[in-house]
Amino acid sequence: MQNKTMEIVEGDITAQSVDAIVNAANTSLLGGGGVDGAIHRAAGPELLAECRTLQGCPTGDARLTKGYRLLARWVIHTVGPVWRGGNNFEDELLGNCYRRSLEIAVKTGIRSVAFPAISTGIYGFPLERATRIAVREVGAFLAKNPAIEKVFFVCFDRHTHDCYQRVLGES
Ligand code: ADP
């Protein structure tokens, strides 16, 4: 799956100049650590105020807010699964996060999206397994939805970046 619409970036997702960045949130949508904390700090308190009105989000689903002080106009908040050994629908739920986020993007007229490596930090999902799911789900979605022009996989560290390079290179 050689696809010019998927690109790997090493860096901070809050600095990305795209229509929407995706937040790896928790079910409360009220902020947390990792990428979630970074996004709330960069977007400012208005983001939390809007999130409070959403009354949470189930695992595997996604919700839309504005981006406030971010360069990105929108934030798509998705809730990845906590890794519990692999027999608790973790793969399906993680795939749903990518698909639901992109469905919301299409509905909103968003053309460029940046994803973090959902669930691979505090939530403990094995990195390579998560990367394969991310690349497969996004690739399949893009093949059917040309309205999305660009998807960036934003990798916060070299290890994650190398894993994405390897997996995308194989496809
Ligand atoms: P989860 O709870 O879904 O595992 P985390 O935020 O703990 O979410 O981690 C998900 C991924 O996001 C990890 O690879 C982590 O290194 C990365 N990450 C943390 N901060 C940022 C950031 N500012 N920009 C992009 N990725 C980030």
Side-chain angles (χ1 to χ4, degrees):
M1 192 202 311
Q2 209 16 316
N3 196 328
K4 291 198 296 283
T5 56
M6 291 193 280
E7 196 173 310
I8 304 160
V9 177
E10 191 173 352
D12 182 342
I13 202 164
T14 64
Q16 302 302 310
S17 179
V18 285
D19 293 343
I21 64 170
V22 176
N23 182 16
N26 57 53
T27 53
S28 77
L29 297 182
L30 298 180
V35 71
D36 194 4
I39 289 172
H40 276 275
R41 277 193 300 278
E46 297 94 338
L47 179 61
L48 183 58
E50 185 175 357
C51 284
R52 282 191 203 288
T53 68
L54 299 176
Q55 294 174 310
C57 176
T59 302
D61 208 346
R63 298 287 185 269
L64 183 73
T65 68
K66 289 183 272 185
Y68 299 97
R69 298 176 203 176
L70 292 164
L71 292 172
R73 181 168 175 205
W74 303 103
V75 179
I76 299 167
H77 305 261
T78 190
V79 182
V82 176
W83 180 258
R84 293 198 178 88
N87 292 317
N88 295 281
F89 303 102
E90 291 95 331
D91 291 349
E92 292 84 344
L93 289 166
L94 185 61
N96 291 349
C97 288
Y98 287 93
R99 203 182 56 254
R100 286 290 302 133
S101 295
L102 291 172
E103 283 170 3
I104 287 171
V106 167
K107 230 192 281 174
T108 313
I110 289 164
R111 291 168 179 279
S112 56
V113 182
F115 281 100
I118 300 164
S119 282
T120 68
I122 298 158
Y123 280 5
F125 206 114
L127 177 61
E128 180 154 339
R129 185 160 167 159
T131 304
R132 289 186 191 288
I133 292 167
V135 167
R136 189 187 64 221
E137 278 302 329
V138 172
F141 190 93
L142 293 176
K144 288 187 269 175
N145 292 275
I148 305 283
E149 292 169 358
K150 198 92 192 177
V151 169
F152 297 93
F153 293 113
V154 182
C155 303
F156 201 49
D157 54 55
R158 177 97 326 221
H159 179 56
T160 303
H161 178 269
D162 290 350
C163 185
Y164 270 84
Q165 288 281 19
R166 202 167 56 245
V167 169
L168 255 184
E170 284 168 9
S171 60

